[in-house]
Amino acid sequence: MTPQAEKRTARWDALVREVDAAFGGNAIHVADREGDAFVHWAAWREDNIRFVVRAKADRHLEHARMSEVIAVAPVRLEREVALSSRKGSNRKSDVTKKNRAPRTGRMATLEVRATTMTISRPPLSQAPQHACTLNVVHVVEVGAAPDETPVEWTLLTSEAVTTPEEVARVVDLYRKRWVIEEFFKALKTGCAYEDRQLMSLRALLNGLVVAVPVAWRMLALRSLAHRTPEEPASSLFAEDELRLLRVVSKRVRLQEKPTVDEVLRAIAGLGGHLKRNGPPGWQTLGRGFDRFLDQYTGWVAAGRCDQS
C-alpha cells in the first residue's frame, strides 16, 4: 500500500515532469517541504531532472542521521540577508505555527554548510531505489536574538555545491520560491481569483488569462516600491495611465513624474488604504487596482486618453 505522504505529493512528480518536458529538460524545480518525498526526488535524480527541495524530515543514512552529518559538514558560505517581518500563521497546526512564527524584520547572518549524502529509502516508501545520493545544503541563522526563531533550512538538491558560488546559487534558487508565493498571493488575494467561484474549466482559464497580467503588474509594482522606491513609475505605467491616476488619486498627490512608491500608495489609496496602517496588503492593493482599471477602461472608451 502506498503511504499517504507519497499519495499527497504525487502531484509534485506529475507537474515536475510536465514542466520539465515543456522546457526541454532545462528547468530547475523548486519545492517547499510538501515536495520532500524520497520516491519522487530519487526518481528525478535517475532521470536527470534538476531540483532544489526543502527537507521536512531528518532522514536516515546508512550509519547516521542527516542532521549528524550536516553538523560536521564544512561551512562553505557566510552571508547577511534582510529578513522581512511577518505576522505568523493563523492555522491550527502546531507544526505550521512553529514554522511560520511571527518575525520582526532584521538583518540576519546566515551560515551555510554543504556536503554530499547517500540517503536510505524510508521503510514504508514504495520507491524502487534503495538509496539516493544527492547534495545537501544547510542554512542556519547565527546570533539571532533570544526572542527570535532562527532561520533554518535544509535543502536537497541535484545542483553542484563544491564552491561557495555554487552553494550560494542553490540558496538563491530556493529563495526565488518567495517571489512565486507572492505572485500567487497577488493572483488569489489581490485579484480575488478563488472568490469568483468560476465553475467550468473554460471559465477558470478565461479568468486566469485576465487575472495573470494584473497580478504580475501588482507584484512588479510592490517589489519595485520595496527595493527601489525612487524609480520612475514610467517603467511600469504608460503616460496616459499616470495622467488619469493624478486625477483620480485623492489620498496621495502625485507629482508630474511620480515614483513607483507614490503610485503604489495612490493605487492602494483607491482601495481604501490608510498610510497609518503600514504598507498595503494584497487585498487593499487589488481592490485599488481593480477600481483604477475600471476607471481607465471608461476613460479610454470616452476618448479622454488622447487629450492632454
Side-chain angles (χ1 to χ4, degrees):
M1 180 180 295
T2 303
Q4 285 297 111
E6 292 189 3
K7 289 181 179 178
R8 287 197 301 270
T9 60
R11 63 183 181 274
W12 280 101
D13 183 61
L15 288 171
V16 161
R17 293 182 182 280
E18 182 179 343
V19 171
D20 207 65
F23 282 84
N26 294 318
I28 300 177
H29 306 274
V30 179
D32 63 9
R33 283 168 287 219
E34 190 178 355
D36 178 15
F38 180 95
V39 67
H40 299 320
W41 42 255
W44 299 343
R45 285 292 285 156
E46 284 193 348
D47 297 337
N48 295 317
I49 294 175
R50 303 166 69 187
F51 61 88
V52 178
V53 174
R54 185 173 177 183
K56 66 179 177 182
D58 185 9
R59 296 188 177 274
H60 287 276
L61 313 183
E62 186 176 359
H63 299 296
R65 299 294 292 266
M66 191 163 67
S67 59
E68 295 169 347
V69 176
I70 285 172
V72 297
V75 175
R76 300 291 180 85
L77 180 69
E78 286 190 1
R79 59 157 44 162
E80 283 196 347
V81 299
L83 299 180
S84 60
S85 61
R86 69 183 180 203
K87 297 180 180 179
S89 174
N90 293 322
R91 298 179 185 178
K92 295 181 180 180
S93 166
D94 290 337
V95 174
T96 302
K97 286 183 178 180
K98 179 180 177 182
N99 293 329
R100 292 285 299 171
R103 183 174 74 193
T104 58
R106 63 184 187 273
M107 291 299 297
T109 300
L110 303 182
E111 185 179 82
V112 187
R113 298 174 184 269
T115 189
T116 301
M117 299 186 192
T118 300
I119 297 175
S120 303
R121 181 180 64 191
L124 298 179
S125 176
Q126 299 297 305
Q129 300 85 358
H130 293 284
C132 177
T133 300
L134 41 63
N135 295 322
V136 179
V137 174
H138 183 250
V139 181
V140 65
E141 181 182 1
V142 294
D147 58 341
E148 294 286 0
T149 302
V151 171
E152 186 173 9
W153 314 328
T154 300
L155 307 176
L156 312 175
T157 183
S158 60
E159 302 304 289
V161 295
T162 304
T163 66
E165 292 77 17
E166 290 172 341
V167 173
R169 178 172 173 270
V170 169
V171 175
D172 288 337
L173 282 169
Y174 184 71
R175 290 177 65 204
K176 293 182 186 298
R177 188 175 71 82
W178 276 269
V179 179
I180 300 169
E181 296 281 358
E182 288 300 309
F183 174 74
F184 283 123
K185 288 179 184 177
L187 186 64
K188 292 191 291 184
T189 304
C191 297
Y193 182 67
E194 291 181 331
D195 294 342
R196 301 182 190 277
Q197 298 184 351
L198 304 173
M199 302 303 292
S200 69
L201 178 60
R202 180 182 178 85
L204 285 167
L205 292 176
N206 287 341
L208 198 61
V209 167
V210 174
V212 163
V214 178
W216 179 87
R217 290 189 80 188
M218 286 196 293
L219 177 60
L221 176 61
R222 206 172 84 151
S223 299
L224 286 175
H226 176 71
R227 294 198 308 265
T228 53
E230 298 302 315
E231 180 172 332
S234 56
S235 62
L236 277 178
F237 290 82
E239 181 52 42
D240 59 329
E241 291 178 313
L242 295 175
R243 190 158 63 246
L244 172 64
L245 190 57
R246 276 193 290 270
V247 173
V248 299
S249 176
K250 304 302 181 185
R251 294 184 177 179
V252 178
R253 184 179 295 276
L254 296 182
Q255 47 185 324
E256 187 64 26
K257 296 185 180 298
T259 66
V260 288
D261 181 64
E262 290 171 334
V263 167
L264 173 72
R265 291 187 288 109
I267 290 179
L270 295 177
H273 177 255
L274 299 175
K275 186 177 180 180
R276 65 173 180 267
N277 292 336
W282 285 118
Q283 193 170 45
T284 304
L285 185 58
R287 190 163 54 236
F289 224 101
D290 191 50
R291 186 168 298 170
F292 171 68
L293 291 177
D294 281 346
Q295 293 169 330
Y296 182 72
T297 300
W299 196 54
V300 171
R304 298 293 300 276
C305 65
D306 295 327
Q307 302 177 21
S308 57

